[in-house]
Amino acid sequence: MEHLLELRNVSKTYSSGLVNTKSTVALRDISLNLQENDPTILTVAGESGSGKTTLAMLLLGFIKPTTGQIIYRGKDISTLRGEEKLEFRREVQAVFQDPFAVFNPFYTVDHLLAVPIKRFKLAKTKAEARDKMDEALTAVGLRTEDVLGRFPHQLSGGQRQRINVARALLLKPRLLIADEPVSMVDASLRASILETLRNLQRDHGVSIIYITHDLTTAYHIANSIVVLYRGGVMEAGNVDTVIKNPQHPYTRLLIDSIPWPNLEQRWGDQEIIAREATEAKTGCPFFGRCSSASDRCKQPPPMFEIEKYQTASCYLHDQHPKIDPDRLSDYLPV
């Protein structure tokens, strides 16, 4: 089966300072792949500073990995030039966190949608361009008469974000990178936008990498999940399995922080206690905060196979078989 996207041992390190250079590892040796003919929704979850947005920037080709390769449909994206690069830009689209920053306040919504149509020569006439706009807006649950001709300040945050999704849909992408797409819209609109993303995957065959710190939304939208902490994969697998039965102390901490609607269940019921963070230069990235840490955690833990669709990087599971990190995608259901 051919891969749509491959990450081969991708790491990203940022350096700062001219004399006393300081290095910060944003991603550590990540290997993943998405299949060409099996559109899926993969969540990448973690707190701020875990490397989620760095991963998004790498996947979009905005920055280059320090080591490793990102392969899109068989070609390293850092080597794409000319028509190949233009095709990559069309097929790999993004929806970002802030629905207000994307719009130029001096242009109407029509302009935002017309630019990609013109840039990628998607329509031969104005009437055909208008039809494509209508189709994309309808697909995300908007009426053209409500949004076309309006300026950004005349729209709600939820409308703006759905227009961003419509803009991406215009180009008929194969892959959508959604970086915290609902974190800045009202809770009442989040379900609508998440359902729109779900429809893109189901009805239009678009694979989505959904990047979030919010495990509640991840649970409702995704098929599989990868949990990052300080650039390293802590746990991965079926989203239902991982969230209902987390096996890594960090994943448990994330899930225990979710306020449950059930009044019989206390918030923080699992009593997962994290120590004050200290810098972990070697070994498990979570070593400095983990209440279960021991001396062996000073060595990088391998990934252990917990079950068919769940794996965790923690010595608490050393009774389970180790897996090759390059095979992580085998534990992510489509």
Side-chain angles (χ1 to χ4, degrees):
M1 188 177 292
E2 294 184 1
H3 297 316
L4 175 67
L5 178 76
E6 290 182 84
L7 280 74
R8 297 177 180 173
N9 307 108
V10 171
S11 296
K12 180 63 179 178
T13 302
Y14 295 103
S15 298
S16 60
L18 297 176
V19 179
N20 297 318
T21 303
K22 182 180 179 181
S23 296
T24 302
V25 178
L27 280 181
R28 307 169 187 261
D29 196 28
I30 304 294
S31 293
L32 287 172
N33 64 66
L34 298 179
Q35 303 300 331
E36 176 90 41
N37 298 318
D38 284 322
T40 189
I41 301 179
L42 166 65
T43 284
V44 178
E47 62 190 41
S48 296
S50 62
K52 306 187 305 297
T53 297
T54 293
L55 178 61
M57 297 299 103
L58 286 165
L59 293 175
L60 291 166
F62 294 165
I63 58 176
K64 294 182 178 180
T66 305
T67 59
Q69 292 179 295
I70 299 174
I71 309 296
Y72 178 75
R73 303 187 72 193
K75 296 182 179 180
D76 189 325
I77 66 172
S78 66
T79 67
L80 298 178
R81 300 290 185 272
E83 288 297 322
E84 287 184 336
K85 189 169 186 178
L86 190 65
E87 187 72 0
F88 172 77
R89 289 281 177 239
R90 185 186 70 79
E91 292 186 357
V92 181
Q93 288 291 303
V95 177
F96 293 111
Q97 178 177 7
D98 189 352
F100 300 92
V102 174
F103 291 81
N104 185 323
F106 296 102
Y107 291 111
T108 63
V109 169
D110 309 48
H111 182 267
L112 179 77
L113 300 176
V115 167
I117 291 175
K118 182 179 179 180
R119 179 72 178 88
F120 293 97
K121 301 176 182 178
L122 302 178
K124 296 179 180 179
T125 65
K126 288 186 177 180
E128 187 180 354
R130 174 62 184 244
D131 288 342
K132 288 187 177 294
M133 291 183 194
D134 291 349
E135 182 183 353
L137 290 170
T138 300
V140 299
L142 292 173
R143 298 190 306 170
T144 54
E145 59 268 27
D146 291 339
V147 294
L148 290 185
R150 296 197 174 195
F151 288 91
H153 70 272
Q154 296 175 307
L155 303 173
S156 70
Q159 285 176 315
R160 295 191 205 194
Q161 195 64 299
R162 277 186 283 179
I163 290 168
N164 289 333
V165 177
R167 176 198 52 77
L169 183 59
L170 268 175
L171 300 174
K172 299 191 182 302
R174 290 175 175 266
L175 177 63
L176 183 69
I177 311 298
D179 187 4
E180 302 273 15
V182 296
S183 64
M184 292 187 67
V185 299
D186 293 342
S188 60
L189 294 171
R190 290 179 184 176
S192 174
I193 294 173
L194 292 176
E195 182 62 23
T196 297
L197 294 177
R198 255 295 186 200
N199 291 340
L200 286 184
Q201 182 259 333
R202 184 183 63 237
D203 301 335
H204 298 274
V206 181
S207 283
I208 299 172
I209 295 181
Y210 178 74
I211 296 172
T212 186
H213 68 280
D214 185 352
L215 292 182
T216 305
T217 60
Y219 180 76
H220 288 292
I221 190 175
N223 303 314
S224 51
I225 187 170
V226 173
V227 179
L228 293 182
Y229 180 75
R230 289 192 176 177
V233 176
M234 300 293 98
E235 189 166 350
N238 177 281
V239 69
D240 191 66
T241 303
V242 169
I243 289 181
K244 288 185 177 179
N245 188 29
Q247 295 298 311
H248 194 284
Y250 175 63
T251 314
R252 292 174 187 164
L253 183 67
L254 281 182
I255 293 169
D256 196 48
S257 68
I258 298 173
W260 299 96
N262 182 2
L263 296 179
E264 300 299 320
Q265 184 171 356
R266 289 193 306 117
W267 189 0
D269 197 38
Q270 296 183 50
E271 297 183 352
I272 304 298
I273 300 172
R275 302 186 302 180
E276 185 176 350
T278 57
E279 186 67 28
K281 295 183 179 180
T282 60
C284 176
F286 194 57
F287 175 81
R289 295 177 65 193
C290 183
S291 58
S292 301
S294 61
D295 286 342
R296 62 180 177 173
C297 302
K298 295 177 181 178
Q299 299 298 319
M303 298 296 293
F304 294 101
E305 179 183 357
I306 310 301
E307 54 179 276
K308 182 180 179 181
Y309 286 127
Q310 188 174 23
T311 179
S313 175
C314 182
Y315 284 116
L316 293 174
H317 303 289
D318 60 0
Q319 73 276 19
H320 294 281
K322 299 177 185 178
I323 72 163
D324 184 341
D326 293 344
R327 290 185 53 235
L328 182 61
S329 293
D330 293 346
Y331 294 84
L332 303 174
V334 295

